[in-house]
Amino acid sequence: MNKTSKGLRLAAVGAVVALALAACGGGSGSSDAGGGAEPTKGGTLYYLTNAEQFDQIDPQRIYTGEDLAFFNGTIYRTLTAYKFSPDAAEATSIVADLATDTGTATNGGKTWEFTIRDGATFQDGSPVTCADVAYGTSRTFATDVITGGPTYAISMLDIPTLEDGSSAYKGPYTGEGQELFDKAVTCSADGKTITFNLSRPVPDFNYAVTLTAFAPVPKASDTGEKYGDAPVSSGPYKIESNKNGKGGKMILVRNDKWDPASDDYRKAYPDIWEVDYGLDVKVIDQRLITSSGNDATALALGLEPEQLGVIYKSATEANPEFAGRAISELDPYVRYLAINVQKVPNLKIRQAIAVALDRDALRKNAGGDFAGDYADGVIKPNMGVDYAPTGMWDSLLGAKIPDAGDPELAKKLIAESGEAAPTITFDYPQSPTADKAAAIVVDSLGKAGITAKPNPIEPGQYYGVVFDPEQAHELINAGWGPDWPNASTIIPELFTPTGGFNLSQYDNAEFNAAVEAAKIEPDRAKQAKMWQDLNTLAMKDVVVVPTRFGREQRIVGKQIGPVYLWPAYGSWPYGEMYAVQQ
Amino acid sequence: MVILLLLLTLVVFILFSLLPADPARLTCGKGCTPAVLEANRHKLGLDLPVIQQYWEFMKGLFVGRIYAADSPDPVVCNAPCLGYSFKRGEEVLVLIKDRLPATIWLALGAFILWLAAGISVGVYAALRRGRWQDKTVMGISLAGYSLPSFFLGLMAIFFIVIRLQLLPYPSYVSPFENPIQFFQTMLLPWIVLAILYAAFYMRLTRNQMLEVLGEDYIRTARAKGLPERIVIRKHALRAGLTPIVTAAGLDLAGLLGGAIITESIFSLPGLGSLAVNSVNDADLPVIVGITLVTATFIIVANLIVDLLYAVIDPRVRLVS
Amino acid sequence: MTEHSNLRRAFLEVSDLSVQFPTEDGIVRAVDGVSFSIERGQTLAIVGESGSGKSVTAQAVMGLINKRNADVSGQANFDGEDLVAMSDEDLRKLRGNKMSMIFQDPMSSLHPFYRIGDQLTEAINAHQKVSKTEARDRAIEMLHKVGIPLPAKRFDDYPHQFSGGMRQRVMIAMALINSPSLLIADEPTTALDVTVQAQIIELISQLQREFDTAVILITHDLGIVADVADEVAVMYGARVVEHGSVDDIFYHPQMPYTLGLLASVPRLTQVRNDRLDPIPGNPPSPLRLPTGCVFHPRCVYQDEVVGDLCRTQRPDLESVGPGHEVRCHLPAAKRQAAAEVALAALGRSST
Amino acid sequence: MLALELAVADGPATPVANEVASRSLRQIVWARLRRDKLAMICLLTLIFLYLLAIFAPLICDLLGVDPYSFDKESISDSGGGPVGPWGGISTEHPLGVEWGTGRDIFAQLLYGLRISLLIATTATILTVCFGTVLGIVSGYARGKTDAVIGRIMDLILAFPFLLIILALSGVLTQRLTQLGVPDGNPSRILYLIIVLSIFGWPYLARIVRGQVLSVREREFVESSVAMGASRFRILFKEILPNLWAPILVYATLTLPTYIGTEAALSFLGVGVLPPDTSFGGMLGNSVSYFSVVPSYLFIPGTVLVVLVVTFNLVGDAVRDALDPRAGRV
């Protein structure tokens, strides 16, 4: 998780990463590639962003869905990768990329083997070997240098942990515990085959390696913390220049050492990718709507609410002049309010909060139909098999709860709780829209007699504050999306003490045990049922109040394709995008 | 002056050491453990007492600084080291240098506009004191400095860019890269910023001129039979502009520290917007750096204005 | 029947000069029907309290009153031309050239930013085309003439490097540099030390002789008047209330206000006398000049005039001797008596 | 001893001063102000605005609006924009409703006015207190005290104050809460008042100091000193009364500046907490919508400008009345 590269746009949502999966793409079908034109090679694609820089460029540190999709599609090859397709089920299936196939599991899912393709090279022409993948993977362990990235390597690889919970291996820089790592990740004599030995069965480990955290890094070029300044490409492009900040640009040019024959995954249509940093969101919208000059082959990540009425007929259909280049799709994220169970231990009070909340007003404030559907848990329908309705608003709380909340029932619950009506504080990352949402929270809880105090936090500091148990308050605004199409990247992250996003401070022994069991369940169908039950359980315990299954709107220039939201990451399908030649 | 600067850095340091968000925490990310946090804190030098941090900082200014010298991955920040932003992975000085051009262009352009408009209109009003021209100018001036700059800026965008589409959306480029786009982008910010100051300078100039025109030496100049033109330009203007030089120098220096509001409205990549972003990110080293640079500008400007004063006014020379 | 019908005109002849300033609070009558005349080589002293209109009169003559802000009426014939009716540009050509002026405060009358040499040559260049060196030579010569030591060196100094007296000398040099035929000195010594005062006055007289200049000396220092003036005009409430030769004014004063003025001159021998002690009350506001005789609210003799005359009727300027005129309703005999009492109190006798 | 000795330049000003010398300066200033029609209109407007602010809840009740309640009917289900033109202006909502929540703009404006006036007025009063006291002390004590105060002023004036206010808002608001100020808006408002005053006083202190330096040389002060009056008495009984003119002028012109600064700060995010709103907050909010709903920009903007212009006009008039010759900025 991490904040999205959209900066302010999604600041209110906050954290997230991810990718979505399986099953119905909810709502409208996506439009087909721009104007039906044939993809051709050449041209420049422009990526307009409000952000002043990428959160991370270092492969082991990237953890934002859009960035994973962008860099995976351009400069970092991974052992496996998600299929390019607008169809959710297809897009969340994996194909081989750097590896010859999608990996072989043995030992009950505790050992995974991948063979690296011939002809795959870095930008200096040297071949990508098993050692490079292993070295890249090992960097994740240097938690004092390589910060911000996913830590699945640490939690999954068979390396003992120390008393304080940290790994006995401290990464390649200190070399402490190197032998432990070298045992966990081994290379065949020819350097072609890499073997990962895991501490427990991970049936979906070949999904985990789609993350660039498992991408190869040549040891000789590693500059530690500063590796992101000059990373070594293994993909069809390489970074020619990168200047952060307003007015800054990142220019990706073709990597002439990349051999198309070794890569049947990436199409590599454009000659150049240009990322323009620090543009005003209004400017981006305006430029894309006008779509003149270079902007015809430009893309961006979101839309300001004021433009929605201009571009769309309804939340699912664009106006004719924007047909084919505007999308409105469910994104991978679930928006919710985490309730800090350490500070609100009384279940009745938590229920009262959930019951009193005016989710209708919150959704309207976020954009109504455009903002998405009401959520009933932290697993979204586009997660496929892992989703099942929890019945949260129908029966879970003892009655059917209207979308606008039921203050009377909430009052009753408070009365039953045996406690006085509580005073709680609501933490949220500040923005004008979030301020209004806070006003809704304050008002609707107030109707049930709960005193809520808004606590706006500067967006850039938000997670720094709310992850600190000393500073976090009772109610915490959040959003989360899965890291790959398995709720193993949701439920454990959100609801167990070892999870990385447990804003609720939830620590339920029974629950934890059930999670551990689900994690190693090899039967995907059984596992799905387990996640469904855990999702329902968490809702029943009101660990969070889910508010919305997010939907997002995006627009591109007139001469760019294909135009669909790639369900794998809820992103543009960078690896197969092209400029339409006139 | 040096003492003032030293004092200033100390005050800035102490003030900002009060900030709540833990910068170490912010660079720690997911899977953050107390040990990592402690290591980060050590790397950033935050485990030291404030005064020692200050000492390290001052030392860094003169001899450079190495963060996390005892780790395998030290960060070198060469003198003059204004600090290092781990959030952005860049030396503060480099960040500031990157942002300075936009700020300087904005400040200089607006400065020229407002001085030209403010002084000429102010003199004009003074010469027509009490008549309708004077009253109109004063009215405009009052309206001008009563308009909050952010409202003015937003209105400019609404009318000029959105409704009339006379100019494209502002998008900063260096003047050396694309002069036309540069001017298109800077025009509104210049005007918006200049209006505020010009309104003030009109008044200042007018009142200064009126004061000077009432001086005995102006009567003397007239009694000598000098043409009115010379009386105004040579005798009145020079004396009347002296205080304006002071004000202008200080105002320009203040702007060189970043026009926070104008920059954020027109999304210019200047020091002001860097400052606001850094506040949002609790990027302490950058905030401290910008504060110091800005304050230094102002203090140095004070000095320059004093020197300039001596050039303009011979009486000052003798005293000093 | 009027004297002005004489064929020969005086060198400067001011008649019925009035200056009014319209202000938000009403019309300010700063000068109200003032007449006087002066010949070359002569000195006319205009005396009176602050606000009596002396300086405005002088500035009106010099054309220094901005006609945009004031109404100037009447005539001021200067060497055959009417200064009041003249265009601004013509006036400018005369100023600093044929007529010039010295001001009260030498500290503030010189531009602090320019070298005095430059300020002097500027005065030359405003009226004549001369080379730089010639202008410089003339300026240095003039500085020398006004008694500035090392004039060539001081030429490049700034005003603040001079003492008050020296600055006034510079002002005089500046005023006389184009050999004017009329010099107006507006309280030239008020701001100076007593010892310097005498030097400056002596300097003016000396230069007056040299250039045969007509001098209008505006002052409230009757001592100086006695020393250098040929004629004296006493102003009060924007009007000339008595006008005559120095002897007339000092030894045959007629107007109670003049008596008051004389009494106010500090004398070692002064005896306290309630009746003659400094004039009680304040000078009138030019905004609301009293009706009738402007001096009547402060006049101790008004009861001696029959009826309401002092309060209701403006006294005319009445000739009481050759070249001696006075504005007063008091009968001549009573004026005489009052004068005698006053002069006696001052230790003088009216011979 | 004599009027004769006054010996100042003639001209229109002196006689006026003489004429009015008998009346008290206060009366004259008031008389001049009363004659200035524009100033009187502005003064009445200000009184009206203050009344509006003070009685905001009452007025809202009368009109049946309030700034906190959500009106879901007034906004669209798709996108959350207001239903109807001009930001949803209707009889129910005289100035329209907020995007996304349907809260009443008119009521928000009234409550915003309240906060704005509260902050600006209080901060002005504090600024005047600090500035006057420190200016007097500095000017009267001279020497070391003067130098120290002068240095502090230099230091404060050298700071980029907007940046500092932004950067420190979080921590200092917390400090205030720790000191016992109620959490939430009271601390935030108090913070703004305090920082505005802290960064504002040096300007006034400089003016006051200059005045004190000249006043203290005057006879009446010297005679008090000779009579052995206590220092406190001299400072505040003898000198202070001579300073009220510049202080009054400064105060009337500072107030609108503070209104503008407060708006700018809340525009940048340092302001009152939701559900309350302020002018700057409303304008900040308008940024996302004003190309579609311009009234979001123009309504609060216009009110803000009217407020500031009115204050400035009154300030100008007061200054003109105190010194009819020439105003200084």
Side-chain angles (χ1 to χ4, degrees):
Chain A
M1 72 87 203
N2 225 308
K3 79 181 184 294
T4 78
S5 59
K6 282 189 260 177
L8 283 176
R9 276 176 206 265
L10 266 187
V13 169
V16 187
V17 136
L19 67 93
L21 330 150
C24 89
S28 77
S30 23
S31 12
D32 286 322
E38 281 301 302
T40 41
K41 287 219 177 238
T44 302
L45 295 185
Y46 297 88
Y47 177 155
L48 312 181
T49 175
N50 163 251
E52 300 200 357
Q53 60 192 340
F54 283 102
D55 282 350
Q56 301 291 353
I57 300 174
D58 185 324
Q60 268 69 38
R61 299 172 75 174
I62 302 174
Y63 204 174
T64 304
E66 196 77 33
D67 297 356
L68 285 167
F70 180 69
F71 288 112
N72 193 19
T74 51
I75 61 173
Y76 300 134
R77 295 187 66 176
T78 44
L79 293 170
T80 60
Y82 294 103
K83 224 172 162 171
F84 289 117
S85 167
D87 176 69
E90 237 185 280
T92 50
S93 64
I94 50 173
V95 295
D97 176 4
L98 195 53
T100 51
D101 54 30
T102 56
T104 318
T106 52
N107 195 11
K110 280 181 78 173
T111 303
W112 279 87
E113 229 177 67
F114 300 87
T115 304
I116 292 165
R117 296 178 76 129
D118 291 330
T121 61
F122 287 113
Q123 67 188 58
D124 60 359
S126 59
V128 177
T129 66
C130 164
D132 300 318
V133 178
Y135 182 77
T137 305
S138 76
R139 295 174 82 239
T140 298
F141 288 81
T143 47
D144 54 340
V145 180
I146 306 301
T147 56
T151 53
Y152 291 107
I154 301 174
S155 60
M156 290 175 175
L157 287 173
D158 187 18
I159 295 172
T161 50
L162 301 177
E163 269 167 32
D164 66 357
S166 69
S167 174
Y169 175 48
K170 298 297 180 198
Y173 305 112
T174 63
E176 196 181 331
Q178 185 68 43
E179 68 287 355
L180 296 170
F181 179 80
D182 292 344
K183 250 197 287 180
V185 181
T186 59
C187 287
S188 63
D190 63 355
K192 285 283 173 203
T193 305
I194 185 164
T195 307
F196 295 94
N197 296 303
L198 310 181
S199 58
R200 56 178 166 82
V202 182
D204 49 1
F205 183 74
N206 52 349
Y207 281 79
V209 297
T210 58
L211 293 169
T212 59
F214 293 92
V217 170
K219 187 175 184 180
S221 306
D222 187 13
T223 48
E225 182 154 46
K226 297 211 149 200
Y227 181 66
D229 293 353
V232 180
S233 165
S234 53
Y237 301 93
K238 60 185 177 186
I239 298 176
E240 185 189 62
S241 63
N242 182 34
K243 188 173 176 305
N244 291 336
K246 282 200 165 75
K249 288 175 176 20
M250 173 187 273
I251 308 280
L252 301 183
V253 296
R254 285 197 184 275
N255 169 15
D256 48 14
K257 295 290 190 306
W258 173 76
D259 177 6
S262 75
D263 190 345
D264 45 21
Y265 176 65
R266 291 169 192 79
K267 308 289 191 293
Y269 291 123
D271 289 334
I272 293 172
W273 274 97
E274 176 177 321
V275 182
D276 294 347
Y277 296 119
L279 299 171
D280 189 90
V281 286
K282 286 169 110 60
V283 175
I284 297 176
D285 290 352
Q286 209 60 49
R287 281 173 57 175
L288 288 176
I289 288 171
T290 317
S291 182
S292 61
N294 290 343
D295 295 337
T297 57
L299 58 83
L301 306 186
L303 278 170
E304 286 291 283
E306 60 178 349
Q307 301 297 355
L308 297 178
V310 176
I311 296 171
Y312 296 93
K313 227 188 281 183
S314 72
T316 52
E317 195 181 349
N319 283 321
E321 68 261 44
F322 294 100
R325 64 186 188 102
I327 55 172
S328 174
E329 297 289 335
L330 281 187
D331 62 22
Y333 308 113
V334 177
R335 272 70 167 183
Y336 61 93
L337 307 183
I339 301 180
N340 185 337
V341 297
Q342 300 299 323
K343 298 205 166 167
V344 191
N346 191 319
L347 175 63
K348 291 278 179 193
I349 299 286
R350 295 206 296 273
Q351 286 175 337
I353 292 173
V355 166
L357 198 67
D358 186 344
R359 291 167 292 116
D360 176 42
L362 283 177
R363 178 170 164 274
K364 268 203 159 143
N365 180 48
D369 296 343
F370 286 101
D373 307 329
Y374 294 108
D376 65 350
V378 294
I379 300 176
K380 212 167 169 173
N382 55 4
M383 278 290 283
V385 288
D386 289 336
Y387 175 77
T390 62
M392 177 155 195
W393 308 113
D394 296 326
S395 56
L396 223 49
L397 297 167
K400 186 164 169 53
I401 313 298
D403 298 335
D406 185 345
E408 292 314 312
L409 178 58
K411 277 185 193 158
K412 212 178 107 210
L413 288 166
I414 295 170
E416 288 168 11
S417 74
E419 290 181 18
T423 296
I424 61 172
T425 299
F426 173 47
D427 295 332
Y428 66 97
Q430 185 166 34
S431 77
T433 309
D435 277 342
K436 287 185 284 184
I440 291 167
V441 171
V442 170
D443 182 77
S444 57
L445 295 189
K447 282 184 186 144
I450 301 169
T451 311
K453 292 185 191 165
N455 179 34
I457 298 170
E458 279 91 348
Q461 304 174 24
Y462 184 62
Y463 284 106
V465 173
V466 294
F467 273 127
D468 183 349
E470 311 231 314
Q471 293 190 55
H473 291 102
E474 290 84 0
L475 202 57
I476 302 156
N477 190 65
W480 180 257
D483 288 356
W484 63 80
N486 189 314
S488 62
T489 61
I490 302 176
I491 302 288
E493 295 299 306
L494 266 50
F495 301 133
T496 65
T498 52
F501 208 68
N502 186 8
L503 290 169
S504 308
Q505 313 286 339
Y506 191 56
D507 188 2
N508 178 331
E510 223 174 294
F511 194 92
N512 295 345
V515 167
E516 286 310 313
K519 271 183 178 175
I520 56 171
E521 175 55 54
D523 181 339
R524 188 65 181 90
K526 265 192 197 162
Q527 192 192 30
K529 178 76 177 72
M530 291 165 96
W531 292 136
Q532 290 167 14
D533 292 346
L534 285 167
N535 187 23
T536 307
L537 208 61
M539 293 310 114
K540 200 167 178 186
D541 219 8
V542 203
V543 183
V544 300
V545 186
T547 53
R548 215 152 27 83
F549 291 145
R551 167 182 291 279
E552 81 163 306
Q553 290 76 35
R554 292 181 173 195
I555 170 175
V556 293
K558 288 173 180 159
Q559 295 173 15
I560 190 170
V563 185
Y564 66 87
L565 195 71
W566 188 26
Y569 291 100
S571 70
W572 294 117
Y574 294 99
E576 65 166 3
M577 295 192 88
Y578 54 86
V580 177
Q581 301 297 307
Q582 285 184 311
Chain B
M1 189 191 89
V2 175
I3 296 173
L4 198 59
L5 270 175
L6 282 178
L7 209 64
L8 190 111
T9 46
L10 185 64
V11 172
V12 167
F13 229 82
I14 293 174
L15 273 182
F16 285 115
S17 66
L18 302 172
L19 278 181
D22 186 343
R25 170 87 241 184
L26 291 171
T27 55
C28 189
K30 188 184 169 187
C32 194
T33 63
V36 175
L37 202 63
E38 201 38 59
N40 269 349
R41 218 167 260 152
H42 176 67
K43 191 156 79 178
L44 294 167
L46 293 171
D47 51 347
L48 303 173
V50 176
I51 290 299
Q52 203 175 336
Q53 286 183 40
Y54 176 66
W55 171 243
E56 289 290 325
F57 178 83
M58 291 309 291
K59 228 168 62 186
L61 265 180
F62 297 102
V63 299
R65 186 172 178 185
I66 298 171
Y67 289 89
D70 49 355
S71 89
D73 187 35
V75 174
V76 181
C77 175
N78 292 320
C81 175
L82 261 184
Y84 184 88
S85 164
F86 282 89
K87 178 92 191 167
R88 287 167 186 263
E90 191 66 87
E91 286 176 31
V92 172
L93 194 67
V94 174
L95 286 171
I96 290 177
K97 271 189 196 155
D98 272 1
R99 298 302 196 101
L100 212 48
T103 292
I104 290 178
W105 286 123
L106 174 65
L108 277 184
F111 182 70
I112 291 166
L113 274 183
W114 97 57
L115 276 192
I119 292 177
S120 57
V121 176
V123 170
Y124 176 83
L127 295 181
R128 277 162 188 70
R129 179 193 178 175
R131 296 201 281 164
W132 67 266
Q133 295 100 325
D134 180 27
K135 284 179 181 146
T136 312
V137 167
M138 287 296 95
I140 290 172
S141 154
L142 185 122
Y145 68 72
S146 297
L147 278 173
S149 59
F150 56 100
F151 181 50
L152 196 64
L154 292 177
M155 279 208 304
I157 290 187
F158 179 76
F159 284 113
I160 313 261
V161 178
I162 294 180
R163 281 292 143 101
L164 303 175
Q165 306 199 334
L166 296 177
L167 287 172
Y169 265 90
S171 167
Y172 181 83
V173 290
S174 155
F176 307 110
E177 202 176 302
N178 184 345
I180 294 173
Q181 193 187 335
F182 170 77
F183 277 104
Q184 283 176 336
T185 299
M186 297 304 286
L187 197 61
L188 285 184
W190 278 337
I191 292 174
V192 165
L193 201 55
I195 283 180
L196 184 73
Y197 284 90
F200 180 80
Y201 277 74
M202 276 176 207
R203 254 178 192 243
L204 188 65
T205 309
R206 170 187 177 269
N207 294 340
Q208 280 303 325
M209 283 301 287
L210 285 182
E211 186 146 307
V212 170
L213 286 173
E215 291 283 351
D216 287 350
Y217 54 80
I218 295 301
R219 198 178 52 187
T220 306
R222 290 200 175 116
K224 278 197 273 194
L226 295 179
E228 192 62 14
R229 177 169 42 88
I230 294 189
V231 173
I232 300 297
R233 289 205 196 139
K234 189 171 165 194
H235 289 248
L237 210 53
R238 175 153 177 206
L241 290 189
T242 315
I244 292 170
V245 167
T246 316
L250 296 182
D251 282 338
L252 180 63
L255 275 186
L256 287 178
I260 289 185
I261 290 176
T262 310
E263 284 179 17
S264 58
I265 285 176
F266 292 99
S267 59
L268 298 175
L271 280 186
S273 56
L274 178 66
V276 172
N277 290 347
S278 306
V279 167
N280 283 339
D281 294 347
D283 197 344
L284 202 63
V286 181
I287 299 174
V288 172
I290 293 178
T291 309
L292 282 182
V293 167
T294 310
T296 310
F297 277 144
I298 291 175
I299 291 173
V300 170
N302 259 316
L303 189 77
I304 293 176
V305 161
D306 283 351
L307 294 176
L308 216 57
Y309 228 103
V311 174
I312 297 174
D313 189 340
R315 286 171 296 184
V316 179
R317 252 176 276 172
L318 197 76
V319 176
S320 59
Chain C
M1 220 182 83
T2 60
E3 287 182 67
H4 306 306
S5 63
N6 290 348
L7 283 177
R8 204 194 68 85
R9 282 205 155 145
F11 179 63
L12 171 68
E13 190 168 307
V14 173
S15 50
D16 205 21
L17 182 72
S18 292
V19 180
Q20 299 183 342
F21 297 97
T23 71
E24 276 180 37
D25 302 277
I27 289 174
V28 171
R29 286 165 193 278
V31 178
D32 191 10
V34 166
S35 305
F36 57 81
S37 62
I38 181 172
E39 295 295 345
R40 282 195 85 137
Q42 278 206 319
T43 301
L44 166 73
I46 303 181
V47 298
E49 290 168 287
S50 293
S52 63
K54 317 177 298 255
S55 290
V56 180
T57 305
Q59 288 176 23
V61 170
M62 285 290 287
L64 288 175
I65 303 277
N66 189 340
K67 286 179 187 148
R68 230 180 252 148
N69 305 330
D71 298 329
V72 182
S73 63
Q75 285 180 308
N77 279 299
F78 175 59
D79 208 9
E81 292 177 280
D82 183 5
L83 297 173
V84 175
M86 200 179 276
S87 76
D88 284 351
E89 180 58 18
D90 290 342
L91 261 174
R92 180 190 73 72
K93 285 180 182 153
L94 284 180
R95 272 202 303 268
N97 194 10
K98 275 181 78 178
M99 58 180 185
S100 59
M101 189 162 174
I102 306 169
F103 299 98
Q104 174 182 338
D105 188 355
M107 311 305 272
S108 62
S109 294
L110 287 166
H111 200 298
F113 294 178
Y114 294 106
R115 296 168 202 280
I116 57 132
D118 294 341
Q119 300 192 44
L120 279 170
T121 48
E122 193 180 46
I124 301 173
N125 291 326
H127 302 288
Q128 299 167 42
K129 265 203 141 45
V130 292
S131 72
K132 235 181 153 183
T133 41
E134 194 193 335
R136 185 188 161 91
D137 291 345
R138 271 176 62 183
I140 291 174
E141 189 200 326
M142 201 63 216
L143 285 175
H144 175 72
K145 232 174 226 170
V146 297
I148 297 207
L150 301 172
K153 192 172 154 284
R154 303 306 304 265
F155 183 88
D156 288 323
D157 280 349
Y158 287 98
H160 66 270
Q161 292 164 300
F162 289 80
S163 69
M166 284 294 153
R167 274 191 232 185
Q168 195 62 301
R169 285 169 193 266
V170 173
M171 281 299 293
I172 293 169
M174 198 187 291
L176 296 179
I177 199 150
N178 288 321
S179 315
S181 43
L182 171 67
L183 173 68
I184 301 179
D186 187 358
E187 311 223 17
T189 57
T190 310
L192 303 176
D193 284 348
V194 183
T195 47
V196 184
Q197 285 183 2
Q199 295 169 13
I200 295 292
I201 292 299
E202 175 50 34
L203 177 67
I204 292 176
S205 305
Q206 183 198 323
L207 294 168
Q208 175 185 26
R209 285 192 293 277
E210 189 179 333
F211 295 107
D212 193 24
T213 312
V215 173
I216 298 177
L217 178 67
I218 294 170
T219 183
H220 58 257
D221 187 339
L222 292 177
I224 294 172
V225 174
D227 288 344
V228 299
D230 300 306
E231 273 187 53
V232 181
V234 179
M235 281 191 75
Y236 183 83
R239 292 170 194 166
V240 173
V241 292
E242 185 164 6
H243 180 208
S245 68
V246 174
D247 281 356
D248 291 339
I249 299 297
F250 278 83
Y251 298 102
H252 309 285
Q254 297 275 326
M255 168 76 192
Y257 176 67
T258 314
L259 300 181
L261 268 186
L262 290 171
S264 71
V265 179
R267 301 273 158 168
L268 286 175
T269 57
Q270 189 168 350
V271 184
R272 277 201 89 73
N273 180 323
D274 284 345
R275 254 202 133 170
L276 280 180
D277 232 339
I279 314 152
N282 287 317
S285 157
L287 254 183
R288 264 162 242 149
L289 286 176
T291 52
C293 174
V294 282
F295 186 60
H296 85 259
R298 298 167 76 189
C299 184
V300 287
Y301 298 102
Q302 58 168 307
D303 299 338
E304 298 178 25
V305 176
V306 186
D308 251 0
L309 224 50
C310 285
R311 266 176 294 273
T312 54
Q313 199 175 331
R314 177 179 166 165
D316 286 328
L317 211 50
E318 180 188 334
S319 179
V320 293
H324 189 186
E325 297 164 306
V326 68
R327 261 185 225 274
C328 190
H329 288 304
L330 264 185
K334 284 191 177 166
R335 287 200 301 255
Q336 205 70 38
E340 259 164 53
V341 174
L343 291 174
L346 290 171
R348 290 203 303 248
S349 64
S350 70
T351 22
Chain D
M1 75 183 136
L2 271 197
L4 246 172
E5 303 275 337
L6 281 174
V8 218
D10 303 44
T14 317
V16 176
N18 283 346
E19 177 231 357
V20 296
S22 51
R23 285 196 274 158
S24 95
L25 201 52
R26 206 171 300 234
Q27 287 171 311
I28 297 152
V29 168
W30 180 234
R32 286 215 185 98
L33 266 183
R34 280 238 303 259
R35 239 182 301 152
D36 188 340
K37 278 206 194 81
L38 184 61
M40 288 320 284
I41 292 171
C42 289
L43 208 58
L44 288 177
T45 312
L46 282 190
I47 292 170
F48 177 69
L49 287 172
Y50 269 100
L51 288 177
L52 274 188
I54 292 167
F55 296 109
L58 209 68
I59 296 162
C60 287
D61 268 3
L62 284 176
L63 291 171
V65 292
D66 94 87
Y68 304 120
S69 63
F70 304 93
D71 183 354
K72 291 177 190 165
E73 303 307 311
S74 66
I75 51 171
S76 110
D77 229 5
S78 297
V83 177
W86 284 97
I89 288 182
S90 64
T91 46
E92 239 173 292
H93 301 291
L95 294 179
V97 293
E98 187 181 57
W99 188 298
T101 63
R103 289 187 291 178
D104 188 81
I105 300 267
F106 176 72
Q108 288 192 341
L109 270 181
L110 279 191
Y111 278 73
L113 182 70
R114 242 179 161 196
I115 289 163
S116 193
L117 286 179
L118 170 70
I119 292 176
T121 312
T122 323
T124 304
I125 293 170
L126 273 186
T127 305
V128 165
C129 292
F130 289 157
T132 308
V133 170
L134 286 163
I136 290 180
V137 169
S138 177
Y140 191 79
R142 298 192 281 201
K144 232 181 227 165
T145 317
D146 187 21
V148 168
I149 294 178
R151 259 309 107 83
I152 293 175
M153 293 198 288
D154 286 347
L155 202 63
I156 290 177
L157 294 178
F159 273 105
F161 82 99
L162 264 186
L163 172 58
I164 302 270
I165 292 178
L166 283 178
L168 294 180
S169 72
V171 63
L172 290 186
T173 308
Q174 273 181 10
R175 281 290 128 97
L176 286 174
T177 311
Q178 284 161 11
L179 288 174
V181 180
D183 196 10
N185 279 339
S187 314
R188 289 180 150 239
I189 290 174
L190 187 63
Y191 168 72
L192 283 177
I193 291 172
I194 291 174
V195 287
L196 285 176
S197 320
I198 286 178
F199 285 104
W201 71 265
Y203 299 95
L204 178 62
R206 284 196 169 166
I207 298 172
V208 169
R209 177 177 170 273
Q211 289 283 319
V212 170
L213 284 179
S214 71
V215 168
R216 62 167 288 157
E217 303 303 334
R218 289 208 212 141
E219 273 174 46
F220 64 91
V221 176
E222 288 183 346
S223 67
S224 295
V225 176
M227 279 154 44
S230 78
R231 178 173 292 191
F232 181 84
R233 202 195 141 75
I234 293 168
L235 284 180
F236 293 94
K237 287 273 159 81
E238 306 286 345
I239 293 184
L240 188 58
N242 286 285
L243 300 174
W244 72 271
I247 291 174
L248 185 68
V249 169
Y250 185 81
T252 42
L253 294 175
T254 298
L255 219 151
T257 317
Y258 282 172
I259 290 176
T261 311
E262 187 271 331
L265 283 168
S266 47
F267 179 78
L268 291 170
V270 179
V272 289
L273 288 172
D276 286 306
T277 44
S278 64
F279 291 142
M282 293 175 82
L283 285 166
N285 203 355
S286 81
V287 171
S288 302
Y289 310 106
F290 72 68
S291 71
V292 176
V293 191
S295 66
Y296 288 169
L297 171 63
F298 288 105
I299 290 174
T302 309
V303 175
L304 180 61
V305 170
V306 166
L307 191 61
V308 176
V309 166
T310 316
F311 266 108
N312 275 332
L313 282 172
V314 171
D316 265 13
V318 168
R319 182 182 46 207
D320 288 349
L322 283 168
D323 177 8
R325 264 175 297 179
R328 230 153 285 193
V329 173

